[in-house]
């Protein structure tokens, strides 16, 4: 078979993070993408055994009821109770499709100056710029400190929380301050909370804060980073009606809805999560993180820049002088795929040149094997 | 439960076809959307029983191999052999996501004057216009007769074949003429062949014609109209590399790939289709079409404007003076959901005011019950 997913002549220097992730799917140890690829828990295995039953349930039910049930179940487990009364929620094929719809709605509404967290996963700036919006980088620490004084004129402010790749969480007081600032300046406040299931600190009721503030808001949620269900997933695009963005119209241009079978699966997985699955997931990710740390010696310049990070990816600081793009190329030659962090720093790639991102949502043996290759590589590099 | 999918204050006169379809999912007899909702065949039932096995197969396999297998199996069954050697094929969540990527790529390449078949399903013009492209309507009969003399200056020409809602098929000589014309005028030729599985006349090897012509081409394929797999589906975005459109880059902005479980399912369903499932589908749709025709008396002004149509929707001509928007509102009040054809005529809604579109990919009893309501309504209308 030929390789279907490889553009002839794409150079690594021009590849985006997703292209690097697609290469990682091909062969070798894939510690690149942030999708959920950890083993199924026993509870999740039982749900997979019931897939034919879920299919037949989905076939008989009324789709909007299944849709609502998936939304209510998933968001309730994660503490987002106010979403259930204050948000209109559109189920999308993925969080990136939700992102595309949001970006197109901003453009259609003439809201074209977007402040975007820096760093963050590069498909967010790529989609925003791709539909014609102008971006201003807002450093993560500015957002976390709610340093509103430094912002330029904006039409929208976009915050990934927990952030990818740092795991940084916008706490409740900071969210409240940004919501008040955005409300006062007529700025749309948008959150991407795709990784919130990993971190209880990101599970305070964001929608209550947003609704109380009077700001025009949009939240993108995602089940795809959480459940290892082979990308059978949903992205939720949540917002309060009555705002400026034509989200519903653009949504209906692109989809009629997601598969009712996937909605049933998400409901089942969220219930299992509430019944202990999420706690088990937190333990798994913590164990994988600790294992990665243990496998790699801690040099004096520091190795792990994000001590508070609880999401399913981890940044590793390289020895001074090593370039992450070069290191990830070398590791790929050794069949280990990780992401260099340059592209996350979408406004200044050099800022990310000293870091790799390693996915933790993997079988433990894969993570261990990858860590050994990285350890040996770094040892040889510092010896050379 | 509240109704999640209803925008407060959306008036029917401003609703697009997908909004009307979403209403139809809620209650009553849904003869509105073109998704595959016919009963599973015995062969398909067996595949559903094997979903856990497919899940575990997908989990163990290399995703790009599953991707290729789904593409090869589906396109081979439908006669598109040259796609397997000449096309790069990107698997998308749906044909509409493929459409969004294609539209964005046209815009990014500065190819902004698009000739589009008229009529066709309204999300195609809505997506093209939504990303900023300019449209020129090209009547279906002009395309089918390959009347190249009448076209204005264009950067791209988009043809739905078989067309929705008419079922009209672009035959091989006409495709060859358009491909030659587009090649000579440096115009991108794009086809949406989502309904081709219903009509053997749309299964000649389109990719051979395209590849032989030297034209820059894009084809959108879709499994979602064909298999009643609860919208577990794939849209394929196929093209020859080396052209002007940055399809791969925009694809990777929006997705890493589709679920490997869905790829396994599509492969299994396509194999079953090759082994008799497609022939059975053709018989089912033909029987449903004949049943609809038999249930509704044939007036002298004619009832069925598309005698050659073999796809899973059928147009019905209303008595002179009746407006399709009004009729579909009245039928909705009687719990029967069909689509008025005005929106299909995206450049001149009045042209479609005399037609309804009725979905045939439904359980036979639903279609029969719906036909009876429509029959009684029309009888009362002509008596009144």
């Amino acid at each position: 078979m030929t390789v279907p997913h490889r553009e002839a002549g794409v150079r690594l220097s021009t590849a985006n993070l997703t292209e690097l992730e697609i290469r990682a799917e091909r062969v070798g140890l894939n510690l690149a993408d942030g999708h959920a690829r950890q083993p199924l828990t026993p509870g999740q295995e039982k749900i997979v055994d019931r897939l034919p039953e879920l299919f037949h349930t989905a076939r008989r039910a009324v789709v909007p009821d299944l849709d609502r049930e998936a939304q209510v179940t998933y968001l309730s487990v994660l503490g987002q109770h106010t979403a259930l009364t204050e948000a209109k929620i559109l189920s999308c094929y993925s969080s990136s499709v939700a992102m595309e719809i949001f970006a197109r709605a901003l453009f259609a509404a003439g809201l074209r100056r977007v402040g975007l967290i820096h760093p963050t996963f590069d498909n967010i700036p790529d989609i925003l710029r791709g539909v014609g919006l102008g971006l201003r980088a807002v450093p993560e620490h500015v957002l976390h400190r709610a340093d509103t004084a430094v912002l330029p004129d904006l039409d929208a402010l976009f915050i990934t929380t927990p952030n990818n790749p740092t795991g940084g969480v916008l706490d409740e007081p900071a969210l409240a301050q940004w919501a008040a600032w955005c409300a006062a300046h007529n700025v749309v406040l948008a959150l991407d909370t795709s990784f919130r299931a990993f971190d209880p600190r990101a599970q305070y009721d964001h929608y209550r804060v947003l609704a109380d503030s009077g700001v025009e808001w949009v939240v993108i949620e995602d089940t795809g980073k959480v459940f290892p269900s082979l990308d059978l997933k949903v992205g939720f695009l949540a917002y309060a009606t009555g705002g400026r963005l034509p989200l519903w119209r653009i949504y209906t241009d692109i989809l009629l809805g997601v598969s009712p079978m996937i909605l049933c699966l998400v409901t089942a997985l969220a219930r299992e999560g509430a019944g202990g699955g999420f706690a088990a997931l937190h333990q798994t990710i913590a164990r994988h993180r600790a294992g990665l740390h243990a496998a790699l010696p801690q040099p004096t310049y520091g190795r792990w820049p994000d001590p508070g990070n609880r999401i399913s990816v981890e940044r590793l600081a390289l020895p001074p002088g090593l370039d992450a793009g070069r290191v990830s190329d070398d590791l790929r030659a050794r069949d280990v795929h990780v992401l260099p962090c340059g592209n996350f720093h979408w406004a200044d790639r050099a800022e990310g040149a000293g870091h790799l991102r390693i996915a933790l949502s993997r079988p433990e043996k894969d993570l261990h094997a990858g860590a050994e290759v990285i350890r040996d590589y770094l040892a040889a590099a510092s010896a050379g």
Side-chain angles (χ1 to χ4, degrees), chain A:
Chain A
M1 296 220 178
T2 59
V3 181
H5 262 323
R6 196 155 207 159
E7 192 90 351
V10 166
R11 284 167 306 134
L12 293 182
S13 59
T14 65
N16 66 26
L17 293 169
T18 303
E19 288 181 75
L20 297 176
E21 291 175 352
I22 287 172
R23 289 199 182 90
E25 283 197 309
R26 183 81 221 151
V27 286
L29 278 170
N30 167 15
L31 306 178
D33 68 76
H35 292 224
R37 301 180 189 279
Q38 68 274 20
L40 295 169
T41 65
Q44 290 169 337
E45 291 274 12
K46 280 183 199 157
I47 292 169
V48 170
D49 290 342
R50 286 174 44 217
L51 283 175
E53 176 196 328
L54 293 180
F55 187 97
H56 293 298
T57 300
R59 188 155 55 149
R60 286 188 301 265
V62 177
V63 176
D65 291 342
L66 297 177
D67 202 6
R68 185 70 185 166
E69 190 175 25
Q71 294 167 358
V72 167
T73 310
Y74 186 76
L75 293 171
S76 298
V77 180
L78 298 178
Q80 305 309 302
H81 305 289
T82 303
L84 311 180
T85 54
E86 298 298 320
K88 179 175 175 67
I89 307 173
L90 304 179
S91 295
C92 304
Y93 299 125
S94 68
S95 59
S96 294
V97 170
M99 187 70 211
E100 173 79 10
I101 293 166
F102 167 66
R104 283 249 261 108
L106 278 178
F107 190 85
L111 302 172
R112 303 196 177 165
R113 299 168 303 174
V114 181
L116 173 62
I117 189 168
H118 192 263
T120 202
F121 195 78
D122 70 348
N123 88 324
I124 295 174
D126 286 347
I127 287 175
L128 291 167
R129 286 193 284 223
V131 304
L133 301 166
L135 300 187
R136 314 288 185 93
V138 185
E140 183 177 270
H141 65 84
V142 167
L143 293 165
H144 290 175
R145 290 178 199 157
D147 192 359
T148 57
V150 305
L151 282 210
D153 282 348
L154 294 176
D155 298 308
L157 178 63
F158 192 101
I159 305 174
T160 314
T161 175
N163 197 18
N164 176 7
T166 65
V169 173
L170 191 72
D171 66 19
E172 183 165 350
L175 176 61
Q177 281 183 264
W178 284 115
W181 183 85
C182 288
H185 292 78
N186 202 24
V187 169
V188 175
L189 179 56
L191 306 179
D192 179 338
T193 60
S194 294
F195 282 91
R196 76 153 97 234
F198 294 101
D199 194 335
R201 295 169 302 176
Q203 294 171 20
Y204 64 87
D205 189 347
H206 290 47
Y207 294 83
R208 185 181 48 68
V209 176
L210 294 168
D212 286 351
S213 73
V215 73
E216 183 171 355
W217 55 267
V218 173
V219 181
I220 294 172
E221 310 267 359
D222 185 17
T223 73
K225 310 297 189 296
V226 183
F227 303 125
S229 48
L230 298 182
D231 284 330
L232 298 172
K233 63 185 176 184
V234 183
F236 296 127
L237 180 62
Y239 62 103
T241 54
R244 289 167 285 176
L245 304 180
L247 295 160
W248 168 252
R249 176 52 66 102
I250 294 170
Y251 175 83
T252 59
D253 284 349
I254 296 181
L255 66 161
L256 173 60
V258 302
S259 167
M261 156 93 191
I262 293 178
L263 294 169
C264 280
L265 179 63
V266 165
T267 298
L269 290 167
R271 282 203 186 121
E272 199 273 340
F278 281 129
L281 178 64
H282 297 164
Q283 288 171 2
T284 298
I285 296 298
R287 192 175 66 249
H288 289 192
R289 179 169 270 114
L292 179 68
H293 289 200
L296 290 163
Q298 173 83 349
T300 51
Y301 60 84
R303 177 76 81 207
W304 310 107
D306 307 310
N309 182 3
R310 298 189 197 173
I311 72 170
S312 56
V313 298
E314 179 79 342
R315 284 199 302 175
L316 175 155
L318 293 168
L322 277 191
D323 175 76
R326 170 70 187 279
V327 172
S328 63
D329 285 352
D330 288 346
L331 290 172
R332 187 177 308 114
R334 290 160 176 77
D335 276 344
V336 173
H337 297 256
V338 298
L339 292 184
C341 284
N343 283 15
F344 290 93
H345 295 260
W346 51 270
D348 181 4
R349 294 170 57 96
E351 272 186 24
H355 293 101
L356 299 178
R357 195 196 75 169
I358 300 170
L360 303 174
S361 48
R362 294 298 188 275
E364 202 156 4
K365 67 175 175 43
D366 287 4
L367 197 65
H368 190 70
E372 289 194 339
V373 172
I374 296 168
R375 181 196 63 204
D376 294 347
Y377 175 86
L378 293 176
S382 62

